[in-house]
Structures are given as structure tokens and as C-alpha cells.
């Protein structure tokens, strides 16, 4: 039986689109609210600073993998260096994080759809439709998700830019003052705390063997982080030119609130209905990717030859976890407290720790062989 | 109660499918298969239990 890792190969453009599509949908989730709370008027700086942190860590991990573990993914590196039991533990931690992240995104989007376009539809029905689409996309595999991302990314970027530009008549640039908001220390702390939205360091460890072109992988990571950071920062800046940070703290669907403000004369107003479907589609791509990654990690750790048969159970588990919080505020609080606040341990610390220790161990072994 | 029973049909089918996947892994890998197949049973049981709890809370 072929190992699960020897299948999909995707190009640089698709990978860039996929990694960007993973980060940018955070603009529709509780991330703007979290950074508005920590950075106040300077919240727009936080995605940029978080992007810089993520990029430095990404370059470190990518360099170590390229030098010492060419063609291996994160779990295979852990297995090769520290043994199977450790690799299983690492895979379980990452899979649990990704599953919880999928569930959290799903719940927030379910609430988003119910409060905006389908107020009379039961949440179970919206969730069921969501999970069916996500399961099908994950079933199509990494190549399918990556190609969908490539098609959707320009539309998503155009959608975000359009919402920002169409609210130009509401912009009050003085709302961005004082320039440092809650102070440089608060901005720095917020950037560090919420940097886990740039999960590129973890994703690079999972996707590395799937890159068609090994050399362009560094460019893929840099471009995707830059593009995501600039888009998020631009959106937050525009958002704070329309709403104050205090208002932002009490809102849940930020991009929707901004879209509701569009008023460009009698014929161009209340255009949020156009954008909602775009946001939901991009969220579906993000969830499909995380569901695929969860299944892939489990398959890789437990040496399953295929990952598809586990998808229905994972999708069902994900749907159930998304229904555990009793209301939308509990779901948002749960996401901000655990996934955003502690996500860095899984997204940055775990891959960096495993790859660095494995590299040191490999170098030590080589040194010992040379001296023997 | 009837709503809950009907809603549980899909989770039970998914559970059965995942259990059969675990069984397939066990058959294809011999003695080692029991070890690699058991996580599939855990995932199947976990998702069924969690779905049962959530649906019970929402539909009963």
C-alpha cells in the first residue's frame, strides 16, 4: 500500500492561494474584535507585526527542513528522529487544534448566515449543509482545494477591496488617532498573542512534501504571508476609520457590518447580500483545508494508506464540536481565549521545536560518524 | 424523541462506516493492523458520542 504522503503535488501559485485563503477569512471571524481590544486605534499594525513574526519563523523552519529533511513532512520528521510514539502525540495535538479551529470557524459562519440571510432556518440545517460541502471538498483532496483556492482568491481579494473602497464616504481618518492606540507595548503583546492566525509555519511542515517545486516554496510562504498581512491590515485600518475600537469590541461580524454601511446613492446601497456568499465560500475552503489536514495528519501518524474513509467521522465530530457552545458569544469567547490566545503553541512552538531538535540531533549524529 | 432517533440515523451510519474502515485496516495489516485500526474505532466512537450528546441537548 502506498503511504498517504506520496500523492498530491501542487504548484506554487495554488500553494500561495491556499495559504492566503487560510489566513484572510480571519477578517470575517473574531480576529478583528480581538486585536481591536488589544491595540485599539493601532489595531491595523498588529497583522503586520504578526506577519513579520510568522515570516521569520516560517523562513527558519523552511530552511531547516530543506537542509536536513528534504521531501519529509512534519510527522515523518518526528517519527524518523524521536520515534513513532512521539510522532503520534505531535500529530494528535496538531489534529486536535485543526479540528477545533474548523469547528470554531463553522460555528461563527453558521451564526453569521443565520443572523444575516437565513434568520428562520434552524442552525442544525445550516450546519448540515456546511459540513456536507466541507466534507466533499476535503474528499476531493489537496489538489482540488488548492485549485479552488486559486480560482477564489482573486474574487475574495476583489470583494474585500470593494467593501473597503465602497465605504469611502464613511471614512474618518482621525479615528485612527492616536497613532499608537493603546501603546506600543499593547500592540506588541497583541501581535504576539494573536499571531497564530498565520499558521503558515505549521502548514509548511504539513505541505512541504506536496510542493511540486521545492525551490519556489520559500517564495510561496513569503508571498502568502505578505499578501495576507497587507489585506488584513488594510481592512482593519478601513474598519477603524468607520467604527471606533469600542464599537468593534461589541460587534461579531465585522466585514458584514462594514458592508451594511455601503451607501453610494439610491441604486447602490445595502450590498452585503452580494458579499455574504463570497465570504461563506472562502470559509468553506478554509474549513475543507483544515479538515483535510486533520485527516492527513492522522493517516500519516497511524500509517493508514488512505485518509478519505475517516473524513465522515471527522466531519461529524467537527459539526458536533461546533454545536457545543450554547450561543455565539460563548463560541467567540472560546475561540479568542483558546484558539487565538494559545494557538501559537501548536502553530509556531511545536513545529519549530520539533524541526530544530531533529536538525540538532541529525547534525550531532553526522558529527559523531565523522569522528568515529 | 422521534426527532432525535431520526437525526441519529446519519451519525450511526457514519459510525458503522468508520468501524468498517478500522476493520479493513486490521485485515490488511495483519497483527499490526489491530494497532493501526484502533484509532479509527476511537474516532468513530468519539464522533458518535459527541453527536449524540449535542443532538440530545438540541432536540429533546
Amino acid at each position: 500500500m502506498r503511504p498517504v504522503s506520496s500523492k498530491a503535488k501542487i504548484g506554487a501559485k495554488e500553494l500561495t492561494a491556499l495559504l492566503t485563503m487560510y489566513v484572510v477569512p480571519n477578517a470575517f471571524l473574531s480576529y478583528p474584535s480581538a486585536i481591536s481590544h488589544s491595540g485599539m486605534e493601532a489595531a491595523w499594525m498588529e497583522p503586520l507585526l504578526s506577519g513579520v513574526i510568522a515570516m521569520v519563523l516560517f523562513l527558519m523552519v523552511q530552511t531547516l527542513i530543506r537542509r536536513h529533511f528534504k521531501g519529509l513532512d512534519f510527522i515523518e520528521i518526528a517519527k524518523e528522529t524521536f520515534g513513532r510514539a512521539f510522532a503520534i502525540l505531535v500529530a494528535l495535538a496538531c489534529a486536535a487544534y485543526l479540528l477545533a479551529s474548523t469547528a470554531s470557524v463553522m460555528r461563527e459562519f453558521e451564526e453569521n448566515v443565520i443572523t444575516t440571510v437565513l434568520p428562520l432556518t434552524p442552525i442544525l440545517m445550516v450546519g448540515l449543509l456546511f459540513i456536507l460541502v466541507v466534507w466533499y471538498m476535503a474528499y476531493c483532496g489537496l489538489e482540488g482545494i488548492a485549485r479552488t483556492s486559486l480560482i477564489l482568491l482573486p474574487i475574495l481579494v476583489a470583494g474585500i477591496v470593494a467593501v473597503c473602497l465602497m465605504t469611502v464616504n464613511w471614512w474618518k481618518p482621525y479615528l485612527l488617532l492616536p497613532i499608537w492606540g493603546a501603546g506600543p507595548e499593547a500592540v506588541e503583546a497583541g501581535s504576539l498573542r494573536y499571531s497564530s492566525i498565520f499558521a503558515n509555519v505549521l502548514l509548511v511542515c504539513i505541505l512541504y512534501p506536496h510542493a511540486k517545486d521545492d525551490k519556489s516554496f520559500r517564495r510561496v510562504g513569503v508571498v502568502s504571508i505578505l499578501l495576507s498581512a497587507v489585506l488584513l491590515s488594510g481592512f482593519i485600518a478601513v474598519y477603524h476609520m468607520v467604527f471606533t475600537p469600542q464599537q468593534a469590541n461589541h460587534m461579531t461580524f465585522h466585514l458584514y457590518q462594514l458592508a451594511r454601511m455601503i451607501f453610494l446613492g439610491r441604486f447602490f446601497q445595502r450590498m452585503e447580500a452580494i458579499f455574504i456568499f463570497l465570504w461563506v465560500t472562502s470559509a468553506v475552503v478554509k474549513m475543507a483545508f483544515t479538515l483535510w489536514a486533520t485527516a492527513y495528519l492522522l493517516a500519516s501518524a497511524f500509517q493508514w494508506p488512505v485518509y478519505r474513509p475517516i473524513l465522515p467521522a471527522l466531519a461529524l465530530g467537527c459539526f458536533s464540536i461546533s454545536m457545543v457552545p450554547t450561543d455565539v458569544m460563548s463560541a467567540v469567547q472560546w475561540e479568542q481565549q483558546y484558539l487565538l490566545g494559545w494557538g501559537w503553541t501548536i502553530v509556531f512552538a511545536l513545529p519549530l521545536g520539533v524541526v530544530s531538535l531533529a536538525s540538532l540531533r541529525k547534525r550531532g549524529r553526522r558529527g559523531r560518524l565523522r569522528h568515529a | 424523541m422521534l426527532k432525535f432517533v431520526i437525526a441519529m440515523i446519519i451519525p450511526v451510519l457514519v459510525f458503522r462506516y468508520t468501524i468498517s474502515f478500522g476493520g479493513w485496516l486490521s485485515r490488511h495489516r495483519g497483527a499490526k493492523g489491530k494497532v493501526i485500526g484502533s484509532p479509527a474505532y476511537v474516532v468513530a466512537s468519539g464522533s458518535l458520542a459527541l453527536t449524540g450528546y449535542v443532538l440530545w441537548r438540541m432536540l429533546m
Side-chain angles (χ1 to χ4, degrees):
Chain A
M1 280 187 274
R2 275 196 311 174
V4 73
S5 55
S6 68
K7 289 179 182 173
K9 286 280 177 198
I10 45 180
K13 275 184 196 168
E14 285 92 344
L15 268 175
T16 311
L18 185 61
L19 292 175
T20 313
M21 283 293 280
Y22 179 81
V23 182
V24 175
N26 282 293
F28 328 133
L29 301 170
S30 66
Y31 177 68
S33 172
I35 59 169
S36 298
H37 186 68
S38 66
M40 302 301 271
E41 288 82 1
W44 62 272
M45 293 180 193
E46 290 195 11
L48 295 176
L49 276 173
S50 300
V52 170
I53 296 166
M55 197 178 293
V56 171
L57 294 174
F58 164 79
L59 290 174
M60 280 166 70
V61 169
Q62 199 264 343
T63 309
L64 287 174
I65 293 182
R66 202 188 52 196
R67 272 192 201 157
H68 303 288
F69 307 102
K70 220 166 190 177
L72 292 182
D73 72 19
F74 184 34
I75 304 304
E76 283 162 347
I77 294 170
K79 205 182 288 175
E80 198 180 75
T81 324
F82 304 106
R84 198 166 161 234
F86 182 76
I88 288 175
L89 278 178
V90 169
L92 284 178
C94 295
Y97 171 78
L98 289 169
L99 198 68
S101 145
T102 317
S104 166
V105 174
M106 188 174 289
R107 179 57 186 266
E108 286 188 47
F109 269 92
E110 281 163 8
E111 296 284 352
N112 200 344
V113 168
I114 284 169
T115 46
T116 54
V117 280
L118 301 170
L120 297 177
T121 311
I123 193 165
L124 278 177
M125 194 46 75
V126 176
L128 188 71
L129 289 174
F130 253 127
I131 206 64
L132 278 175
V133 180
V134 168
W135 165 74
Y136 178 69
M137 271 195 80
Y139 183 84
C140 288
L142 186 63
E143 283 162 329
I145 302 169
R147 284 181 195 145
T148 312
S149 308
L150 187 65
I151 296 166
L152 272 176
L153 184 68
I155 307 171
L156 175 71
V157 173
I160 293 178
V161 172
V163 170
C164 292
L165 292 179
M166 282 166 147
T167 50
V168 71
N169 49 343
W170 293 95
W171 290 5
K172 299 175 204 100
Y174 60 83
L175 286 180
L176 292 177
L177 297 173
I179 195 84
W180 282 107
E185 292 86 9
V187 173
E188 210 177 292
S191 307
L192 279 170
R193 188 171 159 78
Y194 301 119
S195 55
S196 62
I197 60 149
F198 292 93
N200 303 45
V201 179
L202 176 65
L203 299 177
V204 72
C205 293
I206 300 171
L207 292 175
Y208 196 76
H210 296 279
K212 212 179 250 175
D213 182 9
D214 184 37
K215 284 173 193 162
S216 62
F217 204 70
R218 181 177 284 250
R219 204 178 59 228
V220 166
V222 172
V223 171
S224 64
I225 292 174
L226 263 180
L227 187 61
S228 318
V230 169
L231 271 172
L232 283 174
S233 178
F235 163 68
I236 300 290
V238 169
Y239 182 70
H240 279 305
M241 282 196 283
V242 178
F243 298 104
T244 61
Q246 288 78 13
Q247 285 173 304
N249 286 338
H250 298 291
M251 290 178 185
T252 43
F253 314 123
H254 302 83
L255 208 54
Y256 173 74
Q257 298 294 344
L258 200 64
R260 281 189 69 177
M261 300 296 288
I262 295 171
F263 188 88
L264 301 170
R266 185 180 294 175
F267 298 108
F268 293 99
Q269 56 173 305
R270 299 299 304 267
M271 296 175 80
E272 66 271 17
I274 300 172
F275 297 106
I276 285 165
F277 296 101
L278 174 63
W279 302 334
V280 169
T281 317
S282 61
V284 164
V285 173
K286 182 181 162 87
M287 289 188 283
F289 179 44
T290 44
L291 190 68
W292 172 86
T294 310
Y296 175 79
L297 282 172
L298 290 178
S300 188
F302 295 115
Q303 293 178 325
W304 295 338
V306 284
Y307 68 88
R308 284 185 175 123
I310 205 69
L311 281 173
L314 285 178
L316 197 67
C318 189
F319 167 73
S320 308
I321 296 168
S322 79
M323 291 295 165
V324 169
T326 43
D327 50 59
V328 65
M329 284 325 290
S330 320
V332 169
Q333 207 177 358
W334 187 70
E335 196 210 358
Q336 286 189 3
Q337 204 168 345
Y338 299 109
L339 290 177
L340 283 178
W342 288 98
W344 62 270
T345 50
I346 303 290
V347 167
F348 296 139
L350 193 62
L352 194 66
V354 168
V355 175
S356 320
L357 286 174
S359 308
L360 281 174
R361 211 164 164 178
K362 200 168 187 181
R363 208 180 286 172
R365 262 187 221 159
R366 267 188 211 154
R368 251 178 274 144
L369 279 175
R370 227 177 268 161
H371 291 293
Chain B
M1 189 68 185
L2 188 67
K3 263 189 196 174
F4 173 75
V5 171
I6 291 170
M8 280 303 283
I9 291 172
I10 295 173
V12 169
L13 289 176
V14 168
F15 172 76
R16 181 69 195 89
Y17 174 72
T18 315
I19 291 291
S20 70
F21 170 56
W24 177 78
L25 283 172
S26 305
R27 279 196 301 280
H28 277 73
R29 291 285 179 107
K32 202 181 164 192
K34 276 179 188 154
V35 183
I36 69 162
S38 49
Y41 301 144
V42 174
V43 173
S45 314
S47 78
L48 182 74
L50 199 61
T51 313
Y53 161 72
V54 166
L55 290 177
W56 182 267
R57 203 185 65 187
M58 293 181 87
L59 299 175
M60 294 298 286

